[in-house]
Amino acid sequence: MNGTEADRAGSLLQNAVEDTLSERRLFGIAACAGVAIGPVFRTTEAPAQVTRHKIHAADVQAEGARLDSAILQSRKQLMKLRSRLAVLPEESQGEIAPLLDAYLQMLGPSRLIRGVRKRIQERLVSAETAVMEEANAIAHTLAAMATPDGPGSQRQADEVREVGRRLVRNLTRAPFRSFAGAVQGAVLIAESLRPADAALIDPARIAGVATEEGGTDGHTAILLRALGIPSVLGAAGLMADVRAGSTAIIDGVIGTVILNPSITSLSNARRAVASFARDRQRLGRLRRLASVTLDGEIVSLQANLELPIELPMIAQSGASGIGLLRSEFLFMNRDTVPTEDEQAKTYQNVIETMAGDTVTIRVLDWGGEKEIEALVTAGVVPELVDDNPALGLRGIRLLLRQPDLFETQLAAILRAAHAGPVRVLLPMVTNVAEIRAARAIYNRVADRLRQRGVTLPKILPPLGIMVETPGAALCADALAVEAEFFAIGTNDLCMYTLAVDRGEVEVAELYDSLHPAVLRLIQMTIQGAASHHIPVSVCGEMAANPDMTPLLLGLGLRSFSTNASAVPRVKQAVRGTTIDDCQRLTWQILKQSDSAQTRELIATFRH
Ligand code: PEP
Ligand code: MG
């Protein structure tokens, strides 16, 4: 058979296949952008069965020993996984390592393990029963606390369940999921994928991932994004329709899975794959280019930092500083509140790494979903949060009630300030009195440090505020008299303005940062800042979406802080537009009463 005959035979075969298997298109959540085409590798995992099993008092010790060996085995497995990280891209390591560390920490002298031992002893149940019950109880409490600032507690709940499942599998000797049979370039299809499974995926071998369950903000999605694997999660009906070995297309941009694709779909997908590869190269080159609009306006692009491990990614991203250091990380996963010395060392390390670029340190933003055990142990926060934590003792409110905690952190920041430019950011401010009170404490801490012989600059690092409540935005002109800079937190601003919990799936479609009310409040904040000539930046998720960049520029913003991986895309948007065009777009948008029209205007502007 010559080449032409072979081609014709191939297309006849393809047509025959198309006749018998028609294309199926399933919709899910776009978890990681990119398009993948490949043979389906279907993977399932039978759940580890645990039936409640009572033991005799005489067996408590033996059950304890079984638990110890399961802990040891689980730790070994996780350490092995951790050693595999070295082969992954640096960005992926930054995402996965802290997760594995969190698992490992939970397998140490943690609340989970303490609780399991107690259950074996006091309730006389088998080790697997105790693990399952304790993990579920802790996860349930954490999930119940999941509120305003996103899915933090839901994630922690998932982590506890995950560690529990691993222990149970090792206790019951149930087999783990394996990807060993996947061929090069395969598309992995599963009912659900745990974060630890995702960490096992080799991005050089697996082209794409689709699952029936899972959401966009879970750890699995974060890990898939870190690995750069085109992924769609939550595609209902996937497992019923898919056949191992058949071809599938995963479109992680629009969130579709195409099974048995037609020739047209295949050629479209191939074009998309090629265009993605070109795009990635172009974005890589952008790192070194200036962040400037076509008409010469310089726009500052900074990065948000949540874990010190992200620092190398920030350096790689081309960000010109840290616009939001969420200092909560310093207080998490530990038994005691960090001392002034410890905090000072951490801040100094970050400031030194940023080598002259400004670091904006937000003081502790303790809120409902951010469970910090050390604060509970120290009696700083109550063990049980209020019924409505988003409206309770959050952010600056807690710090003003707990001056020791606040003063220690301020002292640590001031001591680190000699290492480079720093700004101090107050979370959840709603009135001028809070800024005045915070400033009085700030000055007092500085005086005390000077008395201790610490050299501080005459003018202290700027003290600014998050504008993340409608109250703060509406009074921005008054707050600008007291604050030295504003950082707009669009995540909370959107939640409080629209009365929609940012972590709540049921009302997710109402969480709309393009709602006219949110845009007007952003506009008022910018005007308030301008009336007193103080800098204003935006550091919520809205800033990370390049589609929003022209609108935010048109509103007058010139400083953005986003997750490190969004910096090149936002820079691309900045470099592709003029301020005049952005302003024209924004004027039109501000006249709209419906965000659907705004979305259309943005889409038209983009093309
Ligand atoms: C915000 O609310 O937009 C913000 C940046 O703060 P966080 O997400 O930490 O609440
Ligand atoms: Mg916030």
Side-chain angles (χ1 to χ4, degrees):
M1 210 169 13
N2 64 30
T4 326
E5 280 169 335
D7 287 348
R8 204 172 320 125
S11 63
L12 282 175
L13 184 66
Q14 177 69 43
N15 288 346
V17 169
E18 267 194 279
D19 284 345
T20 48
L21 296 167
S22 55
E23 176 175 296
R24 286 272 292 130
R25 203 173 273 254
L26 301 162
F27 296 90
I29 294 164
C32 176
V35 175
I37 312 164
V40 167
F41 176 72
R42 214 186 125 125
T43 157
T44 51
E45 186 180 74
Q49 299 292 347
V50 180
T51 41
R52 195 164 206 279
H53 181 58
K54 295 285 279 182
I55 56 165
H56 295 294
D59 296 332
V60 165
Q61 213 176 349
E63 277 313 285
R66 278 184 69 230
L67 176 68
D68 287 341
S69 89
I71 292 173
L72 198 67
Q73 201 179 352
S74 303
R75 287 187 67 85
K76 272 192 196 151
Q77 291 161 348
L78 290 169
M79 297 293 279
K80 199 167 153 199
L81 264 180
R82 212 181 184 301
S83 68
R84 284 197 57 225
L85 290 188
V87 301
L88 298 179
E90 210 168 328
E91 288 179 20
S92 320
Q93 292 183 35
E95 294 277 9
I96 300 169
L99 180 65
L100 294 180
D101 287 345
Y103 291 164
L104 281 164
Q105 206 159 358
M106 263 186 258
L107 289 166
S110 66
R111 178 170 152 197
L112 173 69
I113 301 299
R114 278 196 305 273
V116 172
R117 290 195 199 286
K118 209 162 153 204
R119 273 177 200 265
I120 296 176
Q121 242 165 35
E122 293 176 5
R123 303 194 188 181
L124 295 178
V125 288
S126 69
E128 46 271 49
T129 307
V131 168
M132 217 56 212
E133 290 183 354
E134 183 64 20
N136 282 341
I138 296 176
H140 188 75
T141 314
L142 288 171
M145 286 164 58
T147 40
D149 295 1
S153 284
Q154 188 53 54
R155 287 205 196 134
Q156 286 163 3
D158 292 344
E159 284 171 12
V160 174
R161 283 209 175 91
E162 171 55 26
V163 172
R165 278 194 292 258
R166 180 171 290 277
L167 279 171
V168 166
R169 274 190 186 277
N170 285 325
L171 279 161
T172 58
R173 307 201 182 286
F176 283 84
R177 192 190 294 276
S178 160
F179 304 136
V183 298
Q184 180 74 30
V187 159
L188 199 144
I189 307 264
E191 74 286 2
S192 71
L193 211 55
R194 297 188 312 253
D197 295 330
L200 276 173
I201 296 175
D202 178 357
R205 186 137 140 259
I206 300 292
V209 170
T211 66
E212 236 179 39
E213 292 165 22
T216 185
D217 281 329
H219 260 126
T220 298
I222 289 174
L223 293 183
L224 291 169
R225 277 197 285 275
L227 293 167
I229 301 176
S231 307
V232 173
L233 304 185
L238 182 64
M239 293 309 273
D241 286 342
V242 77
R243 283 187 315 114
S246 62
T247 302
I249 298 171
I250 310 284
D251 189 330
V253 182
I254 48 174
T256 54
V257 182
I258 306 178
L259 305 174
N260 313 315
S262 66
I263 291 175
T264 316
S265 297
L266 272 174
S267 63
N268 287 343
R270 284 198 190 106
R271 268 200 300 278
V273 170
S275 123
F276 250 92
R278 284 195 299 273
D279 215 32
R280 201 162 284 168
Q281 272 187 334
R282 207 175 39 238
L283 285 176
R285 285 197 294 272
L286 268 174
R287 276 179 200 154
R288 290 184 297 275
L289 300 180
S291 173
V292 60
T293 60
L294 289 172
D295 48 354
E297 188 83 10
I298 294 169
V299 178
S300 156
L301 297 185
Q302 299 192 309
N304 293 348
L305 179 126
E306 287 175 298
L307 294 166
I309 203 149
E310 288 174 278
L311 271 172
M313 285 163 62
I314 290 178
Q316 267 179 25
S317 73
S320 62
I322 293 176
L324 171 65
L325 183 153
R326 290 177 162 106
S327 65
E328 292 81 58
F329 73 79
L330 262 160
F331 295 74
M332 287 178 171
N333 296 319
R334 48 179 299 147
D335 293 331
T336 54
V337 175
T339 61
E340 184 185 307
D341 280 355
E342 274 176 89
Q343 291 191 53
K345 233 185 253 166
T346 306
Y347 302 140
Q348 185 173 331
N349 176 36
V350 176
I351 297 164
E352 277 169 358
T353 309
M354 293 315 292
D357 286 335
T358 302
V359 176
T360 302
I361 301 176
R362 185 174 72 186
V363 284
L364 182 67
D365 182 17
W366 182 78
E369 102 298 353
K370 291 168 184 159
E371 198 213 17
I372 299 180
E373 210 171 318
L375 293 181
V376 179
T377 313
V380 172
V381 298
E383 189 148 11
L384 288 173
V385 288
D386 324 329
D387 281 349
N388 207 344
L391 306 178
L393 195 62
R394 283 198 54 180
I396 191 67
R397 302 170 187 181
L398 174 80
L399 294 173
L400 292 176
R401 291 262 193 106
Q402 297 288 341
D404 281 355
L405 183 72
F406 193 20
E407 286 174 18
T408 304
Q409 191 170 19
L410 289 174
I413 297 171
L414 284 172
R415 278 176 50 194
H418 69 87
V422 180
R423 305 193 304 174
V424 180
L425 179 57
L426 307 173
M428 276 295 293
V429 169
T430 54
N431 61 51
V432 287
E434 285 166 339
I435 312 175
R436 286 184 193 139
R439 188 175 295 283
I441 295 174
Y442 190 46
N443 289 335
R444 197 164 69 219
V445 169
D447 287 346
R448 233 183 272 148
L449 283 176
R450 287 190 182 106
Q451 278 160 23
R452 265 165 58 189
V454 178
T455 314
L456 295 179
K458 214 163 152 221
I459 298 176
L460 294 179
L463 187 70
I465 63 163
M466 292 288 296
V467 177
E468 51 186 346
T469 62
L474 287 163
C475 293
D477 54 347
L479 297 175
V481 177
E482 306 292 334
E484 287 169 275
F485 65 94
F486 285 164
I488 305 178
T490 52
N491 307 339
D492 279 320
L493 184 62
C494 185
M495 174 178 81
Y496 289 117
T497 305
L498 305 178
V500 179
D501 191 326
R502 57 195 254 200
E504 178 57 69
V505 179
E506 282 296 313
V507 285
E509 78 281 2
L510 294 173
Y511 183 84
D512 179 7
S513 48
L514 289 178
H515 189 294
V518 178
L519 298 183
R520 286 175 204 176
L521 289 171
I522 294 175
Q523 191 188 26
M524 291 189 82
T525 308
I526 297 165
Q527 284 166 353
S531 66
H532 293 278
H533 311 287
I534 65 164
V536 55
S537 62
V538 57
C539 60
E541 287 305 300
M542 196 176 176
N545 181 349
D547 289 346
M548 303 291 159
T549 309
L551 166 62
L552 295 172
L553 289 173
L555 282 165
L557 287 161
R558 298 291 180 270
S559 177
F560 298 65
S561 190
T562 70
N563 59 68
S565 59
V567 171
R569 284 187 192 281
V570 175
K571 190 187 279 184
Q572 188 178 33
V574 166
R575 290 176 60 85
T577 193
T578 65
I579 295 296
D580 273 357
D581 285 346
C582 293
Q583 280 173 346
R584 268 193 290 276
L585 169 75
T586 303
W587 287 329
Q588 268 186 297
I589 287 176
L590 290 174
K591 282 188 239 155
Q592 306 307 317
S593 54
D594 181 353
S595 62
Q597 288 151 346
T598 298
R599 253 170 254 288
E600 270 174 35
L601 286 169
I602 287 175
T604 315
F605 185 84
R606 205 175 42 206
H607 295 299

